[in-house]
Amino acid sequence: MTTSPINRTVFVVSDSTGITAETFSHSVLSQFQEFEFQAVRVPFIDTIEKAQDVTVRINRCFEETGEKPLVFSTLVDPKMARTIGSANCIFMDLFGSFVRHIERALGTKADRSVGRSHSNVMSKQYSNRIEAINFSLAHDDGQLINGLEQADVILVGVSRCGKTPTSLYLAMQYGVKAANYPLIPDDFERGALPLSLVPYRKKLFGLSIHPDRLAEVRHERRPNSTYASLKQCINEVAEAERLMRLENIPWLSTTTRSIEEISTKILDEVGLNKRIY
């Protein structure tokens, strides 16, 4: 007999988008499988009045449930953080906890400017991300060969193995110019890479997928087609992996990995992990 999960409310509070705090909370809370967490994202808390409103919401949640909500905060302003931390909650000040240690290590005080990480949208880093997104869109699924010399990485693999979402994630999150190119039956018959990729062989990274999962994904796109048949998927995956081994192309299976895991592995393997903040 299975037991019902225990419900618990989680507030994710930030003076900006809240993405950082939410990502961190997901990672931590995933370790507590017996609970079901209801997340409430509260972004753009940039005045003391808004902080006070959030405090009221948290206290109301405590009164209604009888349980102290978990609060993940990346608020920069100490006064606003203290205001929300005074509520009936389990308060985790992610920003303050780290900043205090770094201030001691560097021997200087942080500016504590609200929205600093998302400011200056015309910065070089931001411009690089926009340029990378445009590049990845233009070089999706092998639709444009010109300009591949500018690519930081070129993802190869069978159709629907995750090349496009991974390319866009790399571009949006890291400013990586990621092109992607499909491996098709014609390539397998020749037993060689497409000629247009040969000059950029050192930039190639392969993605594969379990044939059963590939068949499921393809059936959503083209139900009951040869393209989506398990037999076709088994053959294509086997041939693609054989070709990648033959060409000594690093590759991984996307079957049980999240897009974040796939991207991190690619960055590490290709040597694109260094970033300037």
Side-chain angles (χ1 to χ4, degrees):
M1 179 178 178
T2 58
T3 58
S4 300
I6 306 168
N7 294 315
R8 199 68 179 265
T9 303
V10 178
F11 284 83
V12 178
V13 186
S14 173
D15 49 43
S16 189
T17 62
I19 293 174
T20 300
E22 187 170 38
T23 301
F24 183 85
S25 69
H26 283 171
S27 298
V28 173
L29 298 178
S30 66
Q31 305 302 312
F32 301 90
Q33 295 296 310
E34 68 272 27
F35 286 85
E36 184 173 278
F37 297 101
Q38 178 184 356
V40 180
R41 187 196 288 183
V42 191
F44 306 117
I45 304 304
D46 50 11
T47 67
I48 194 65
E49 291 77 19
K50 290 181 181 179
Q52 291 167 346
D53 289 341
V54 176
T55 302
V56 171
R57 291 178 63 183
I58 293 172
N59 286 334
R60 185 184 303 124
C61 178
F62 170 70
E63 293 169 2
E64 292 173 351
T65 64
E67 298 283 355
K68 289 187 176 182
L70 304 176
V71 178
F72 289 84
S73 166
T74 50
L75 292 171
V76 173
D77 188 291
K79 186 176 181 181
M80 288 191 282
R82 285 194 298 270
T83 298
I84 294 178
S86 68
N88 284 308
C89 65
I90 309 300
F91 186 71
M92 284 152 282
D93 182 7
L94 307 181
F95 189 90
S97 298
F98 288 108
V99 165
R100 284 189 289 273
H101 288 293
I102 296 172
E103 285 177 335
R104 286 196 292 269
L106 299 181
T108 187
K109 289 291 184 179
D111 292 337
R112 293 184 181 266
S113 300
V114 174
R116 174 64 59 85
S117 65
H118 298 277
S119 65
N120 191 14
V121 295
M122 294 309 293
S123 67
K124 187 176 187 333
Q125 291 90 340
Y126 185 83
S127 297
N128 287 345
R129 286 167 59 193
I130 296 300
E131 185 178 347
I133 292 169
N134 288 331
F135 180 89
S136 294
L137 288 172
H139 294 83
D140 179 48
D141 208 27
Q143 62 183 336
L144 183 62
I145 298 174
N146 294 336
L148 283 178
E149 68 278 359
Q150 300 175 33
D152 295 311
V153 63
I154 302 171
L155 304 182
V156 295
V158 299
S159 171
R160 310 303 287 180
C161 69
K163 299 185 301 300
T164 294
T166 302
S167 296
L168 290 175
Y169 184 85
L170 286 167
M172 289 188 288
Q173 293 295 321
Y174 301 105
V176 170
K177 290 183 178 179
N180 71 81
Y181 204 100
L183 296 177
I184 60 176
D186 286 350
D187 302 320
F188 307 144
E189 288 179 11
R190 291 196 327 272
L193 290 170
L195 292 177
S196 56
L197 294 183
V198 172
Y200 313 107
R201 197 183 156 288
K202 291 184 178 180
K203 295 185 177 185
L204 301 183
F205 192 96
L207 299 184
S208 188
I209 188 172
H210 194 280
D212 289 341
R213 177 56 183 153
L214 181 61
E216 290 177 6
V217 173
R218 287 185 173 185
H219 268 295
E220 293 176 2
R221 187 180 187 188
R222 298 182 193 171
N224 303 316
S225 63
T226 301
Y227 165 80
S229 69
L230 182 57
K231 179 180 178 180
Q232 180 73 16
C233 292
I234 290 173
N235 180 65
E236 286 191 33
V237 169
E239 288 297 316
E241 292 182 359
R242 184 188 66 81
L243 181 57
M244 288 187 281
R245 285 192 293 267
L246 179 66
E247 296 287 346
N248 200 27
I249 298 170
W251 62 277
L252 60 80
S253 174
T254 64
T255 309
T256 59
R257 288 182 168 93
S258 68
I259 194 168
E260 293 87 354
E261 290 177 289
I262 298 166
S263 299
T264 300
K265 184 67 174 177
I266 292 170
L267 291 173
D268 186 52
E269 290 280 344
V270 181
L272 295 171
N273 264 332
K274 293 184 178 179
R275 299 181 67 199
I276 297 175
Y277 292 89

